[in-house]
Amino acid sequence: MTTSSAILIIGSMAFDDLELPSGNERDVVGGSATYSAFAASCFAPVRTVAVVGDDFPEETLVAMRSRGISIEGVERAPGKTFRWAGRYDVDLIHRTTLDTQLNVFASFAPKLPETYRDTPFLLLGNIHPALQLDVLEQVRAPRFVLADTMNFWIEGEPKAVAAMLRRIDTLVVNDEEARQLSGKYNIRRAAKEILSRGPRRLIIKRGEHGALLFDEEGVFAAPGFPLEDVIDPTGAGDAFAGGLIGYLACQPEITPLALRRGMLHATATASFCVEAVGTRRIATVTRADIAARLTEIRALYEFGASTM
Amino acid sequence: MTTSSAILIIGSMAFDDLELPSGNERDVVGGSATYSAFAASCFAPVRTVAVVGDDFPEETLVAMRSRGISIEGVERAPGKTFRWAGRYDVDLIHRTTLDTQLNVFASFAPKLPETYRDTPFLLLGNIHPALQLDVLEQVRAPRFVLADTMNFWIEGEPKAVAAMLRRIDTLVVNDEEARQLSGKYNIRRAAKEILSRGPRRLIIKRGEHGALLFDEEGVFAAPGFPLEDVIDPTGAGDAFAGGLIGYLACQPEITPLALRRGMLHATATASFCVEAVGTRRIATVTRADIAARLTEIRALYEFGASTM
């Protein structure tokens, strides 16, 4: 049996309006913290910091609690929940943001419950970098800090993003964001540039093509898991981050090898997320589901390395 | 020491006019047969079937011969050599074909030298599918047939492409071509559809993102090798096919494991191709260069599988 450390997740809890090739879906419960928390809860106890409006469904909070996710840090504020609207191309790879309404997040000043302040693992999900920093400062000496961000903040809040980069262990972004952040097209040069700005490690997500880890050992490539039925890619990146920090929270030490195995667990976790609209699948995924998919993912790599 | 079987390669030998982010290059010696032959010659003796015009440089043919590539099957015809012109985006991923002039290839009717007719390994490089079939029929019972094709033929010669698919062991195309050929966006569904049309195995190249092999064992993912200096992606797919068939020609049997290891050798071989304009680098790459890069590629996958 492994013991696992607790994970603190800050991010958005939201309603998403999705235009998918399979049809339009309105008022889908989403948000980076929601997806990441469901994913991480397969591995370790999770504590969530976010704000929701009057309109956020109680049943989602109940479902989270039933997975061992503490929602003591989820504030319910008067007003509307954060809302994102997006349209996916028919290939389910490219997407366009149609609308972002911060709503109750506009005036959110997270105040961590005292019981949260010693959490060793910290996931700064995709949200305003000032909020990420605010939470980071309220946690006493975290062992490991993983952060996500997006084009919206890279463009609009470059100083806060830069300050955040100096304070974290590992940044996780997609390839477009890595190019935007670094100003470099070549992915290896982009990685070098970003690593020079603070984080010890960088993970570049490439959607269906998997993800790359850049660290002191070099580069590791996690494959994309080719699924026959991709329904909704929303939240896959958040589920990836949740799966990664979840796996790490179960390890005695955060070594390069643990990171590499974490990348594969993260891939397995995220692969469930896209199989249904919203959080429908990720909210019920189990550690056993992940273990089974991990076997399939390892087969993608099987070339008899030991006898080659 | 391994013994290697001979490889017959049919494809184009060409001049390319390239618009690259690093500048424009005119009259670059290229063509699918040229790239594939240089790549495969690292592993095994190669025999080339193609046609060139009066204007094709003798020094390229000399360079090929010096690598153990037979050019007995390369016809020199009166007229101009095949010419392709293309423009690469700044990201070096997307490209646009600006012009294709078949020239001497328009009336080419390959007649295999008698010494070529028993070649066990056959690479039908990217060229008119009728020419691919013509060559295939002149080879007596080949052990292994690998074929490439492209959007131009999939669109313009669907019947000949379909006939070719029924006669080969393994098809290698890129992801766009796989989608076009199958009419399916999802890569796993596209693969299933293509495999139902004849080939035993399918390889889908995804540029910088590596390549997928679909066969009776399932799926194998070869990683893209992230290079810091990508100069010219032209011919990388042909070098990949050449490296793959070259590796297979050295194996006692074509097993799923051999295919998987072949995918990694193909990735290593192709990674050299893009480091310089045209065939400049691939024309001089050695088996030792490939072995060294293979070590780097294997590190991309290293997650201590045996102790996990």
Side-chain angles (χ1 to χ4, degrees):
Chain A
M1 209 196 120
T2 53
T3 52
S4 56
S5 305
I7 301 163
L8 178 63
I9 297 177
I10 161 96
S12 60
M13 292 180 72
F15 285 119
D16 294 336
D17 295 327
L18 309 172
E19 297 187 18
L20 296 163
S22 52
N24 295 351
E25 303 274 348
R26 282 192 59 84
D27 302 330
V28 177
V29 168
S32 58
T34 319
Y35 282 106
S36 294
F38 277 128
S41 67
C42 295
F43 297 91
V46 173
R47 299 160 180 174
T48 316
V49 177
V51 60
V52 296
D54 313 311
D55 51 355
F56 196 81
E58 187 59 28
E59 71 204 60
T60 302
L61 301 176
V62 170
M64 290 173 79
R65 252 194 313 248
S66 76
R67 304 258 299 178
I69 301 168
S70 158
I71 54 159
E72 198 191 329
V74 178
E75 188 185 321
R76 197 182 273 277
K80 286 184 175 177
T81 296
F82 180 100
R83 184 173 286 269
W84 179 79
R87 177 190 299 135
Y88 287 90
D89 287 359
V90 62
D91 60 10
L92 280 167
I93 300 169
H94 300 98
R95 76 177 184 191
T96 313
T97 290
L98 301 174
D99 192 22
T100 304
Q101 297 173 18
L102 290 179
N103 297 333
V104 292
F105 255 104
S107 56
F108 180 48
K111 195 174 169 339
L112 259 53
E114 188 53 38
T115 51
Y116 280 24
R117 295 190 58 210
D118 289 308
T119 317
F121 285 78
L122 184 46
L123 171 53
L124 305 172
N126 179 20
I127 194 67
H128 196 300
L131 289 185
Q132 293 179 318
L133 282 165
D134 191 354
V135 166
L136 185 52
E137 271 159 31
Q138 295 180 55
V139 178
R140 294 186 195 99
R143 258 183 73 199
F144 180 77
V145 183
L146 176 66
D148 192 358
T149 191
M150 72 183 292
N151 46 6
F152 191 71
W153 313 118
I154 295 170
E155 242 174 80
E157 299 287 346
K159 281 188 188 171
V161 168
M164 179 271 284
L165 287 181
R166 286 191 294 269
R167 300 281 304 273
I168 61 171
D169 290 285
T170 303
L171 179 72
V172 53
V173 286
N174 69 31
D175 39 11
E176 269 177 64
E177 290 154 1
R179 289 188 170 112
Q180 191 186 13
L181 187 57
S182 65
K184 299 192 185 301
Y185 273 103
N186 179 285
I187 214 71
R188 203 181 260 261
R189 289 177 187 273
K192 218 182 239 185
E193 172 63 29
I194 293 168
L195 290 174
S196 78
R197 297 191 195 167
R200 263 184 77 179
R201 309 175 190 93
L202 171 67
I203 294 167
I204 299 183
K205 296 173 289 182
R206 307 196 289 178
E208 63 164 339
H209 299 303
L212 295 173
L213 164 72
F214 295 86
D215 70 357
E216 69 268 36
E217 288 282 299
V219 193
F220 177 75
F225 183 69
L227 281 165
E228 212 162 302
D229 295 293
V230 178
I231 301 298
D232 175 11
T234 313
D238 305 312
F240 183 95
L244 175 65
I245 203 163
Y247 177 81
L248 293 175
C250 303
Q251 305 312 308
E253 238 188 302
I254 298 167
T255 61
L257 195 60
L259 257 296
R260 282 156 175 74
R261 292 171 176 184
M263 294 279 288
L264 298 182
H265 282 83
T267 300
T269 310
S271 74
F272 289 102
C273 189
V274 305
E275 290 183 335
V277 172
T279 57
R280 213 166 292 163
R281 182 69 186 93
I282 195 72
T284 60
V285 72
T286 65
R287 189 73 194 257
D289 292 332
I290 294 171
R293 185 138 300 164
L294 199 69
T295 307
E296 295 182 77
I297 289 171
R298 289 179 63 169
L300 288 173
Y301 271 11
E302 191 45 56
F303 62 94
S306 60
T307 60
M308 190 164 165
Chain B
M1 208 197 120
T2 54
T3 52
S4 57
S5 305
I7 301 163
L8 179 62
I9 297 176
I10 161 94
S12 60
M13 294 180 70
F15 286 119
D16 294 336
D17 294 328
L18 309 172
E19 297 187 19
L20 297 163
S22 52
N24 295 351
E25 303 274 348
R26 281 192 59 84
D27 302 330
V28 177
V29 169
S32 57
T34 319
Y35 281 106
S36 294
F38 277 128
S41 67
C42 295
F43 298 91
V46 173
R47 298 160 181 173
T48 316
V49 177
V51 60
V52 297
D54 313 311
D55 51 355
F56 196 80
E58 187 60 29
E59 70 205 60
T60 300
L61 301 176
V62 170
M64 289 173 79
R65 253 192 314 248
S66 76
R67 302 258 298 180
I69 300 168
S70 160
I71 54 158
E72 200 191 327
V74 178
E75 188 185 320
R76 197 181 273 278
K80 285 183 175 177
T81 295
F82 179 101
R83 184 172 288 268
W84 179 80
R87 178 190 299 135
Y88 288 90
D89 288 358
V90 63
D91 60 11
L92 279 167
I93 299 169
H94 300 98
R95 77 177 181 191
T96 313
T97 290
L98 301 175
D99 192 23
T100 304
Q101 296 173 18
L102 290 179
N103 297 332
V104 292
F105 255 104
S107 56
F108 180 48
K111 195 176 169 335
L112 259 52
E114 188 52 40
T115 51
Y116 281 22
R117 296 190 57 210
D118 289 308
T119 317
F121 285 79
L122 184 47
L123 171 53
L124 305 173
N126 178 19
I127 193 68
H128 196 300
L131 289 184
Q132 294 180 318
L133 282 167
D134 191 355
V135 167
L136 185 51
E137 272 160 30
Q138 294 180 54
V139 178
R140 295 187 193 97
R143 258 183 74 200
F144 179 77
V145 183
L146 176 66
D148 192 358
T149 192
M150 73 182 291
N151 47 4
F152 191 72
W153 313 118
I154 295 170
E155 242 174 80
E157 300 287 345
K159 281 187 188 172
V161 168
M164 179 271 283
L165 288 181
R166 286 192 294 270
R167 298 283 304 274
I168 61 171
D169 290 284
T170 304
L171 178 73
V172 52
V173 287
N174 69 30
D175 39 10
E176 270 176 64
E177 290 154 2
R179 289 187 170 114
Q180 191 186 11
L181 187 57
S182 65
K184 299 193 184 299
Y185 272 103
N186 178 285
I187 214 72
R188 204 182 260 259
R189 289 178 186 271
K192 218 183 241 186
E193 172 62 29
I194 293 168
L195 290 175
S196 78
R197 298 192 195 166
R200 264 184 76 179
R201 309 173 189 93
L202 170 68
I203 294 168
I204 299 182
K205 297 174 287 181
R206 307 196 289 178
E208 63 163 341
H209 300 303
L212 295 174
L213 165 71
F214 295 85
D215 70 358
E216 68 268 36
E217 289 282 300
V219 194
F220 177 75
F225 184 70
L227 282 164
E228 212 161 304
D229 295 294
V230 177
I231 301 298
D232 174 13
T234 313
D238 306 313
F240 184 95
L244 175 65
I245 203 164
Y247 177 80
L248 292 175
C250 303
Q251 304 313 307
E253 237 189 304
I254 298 167
T255 60
L257 195 60
L259 256 296
R260 282 155 174 76
R261 292 171 175 183
M263 294 278 288
L264 299 182
H265 281 83
T267 300
T269 309
S271 73
F272 289 102
C273 189
V274 305
E275 290 184 336
V277 172
T279 57
R280 213 166 291 164
R281 183 69 187 94
I282 196 73
T284 60
V285 73
T286 65
R287 189 75 194 256
D289 292 332
I290 293 171
R293 185 138 301 163
L294 200 69
T295 308
E296 295 181 76
I297 289 172
R298 289 179 62 169
L300 288 173
Y301 271 11
E302 191 45 56
F303 61 95
S306 59
T307 60
M308 191 165 165

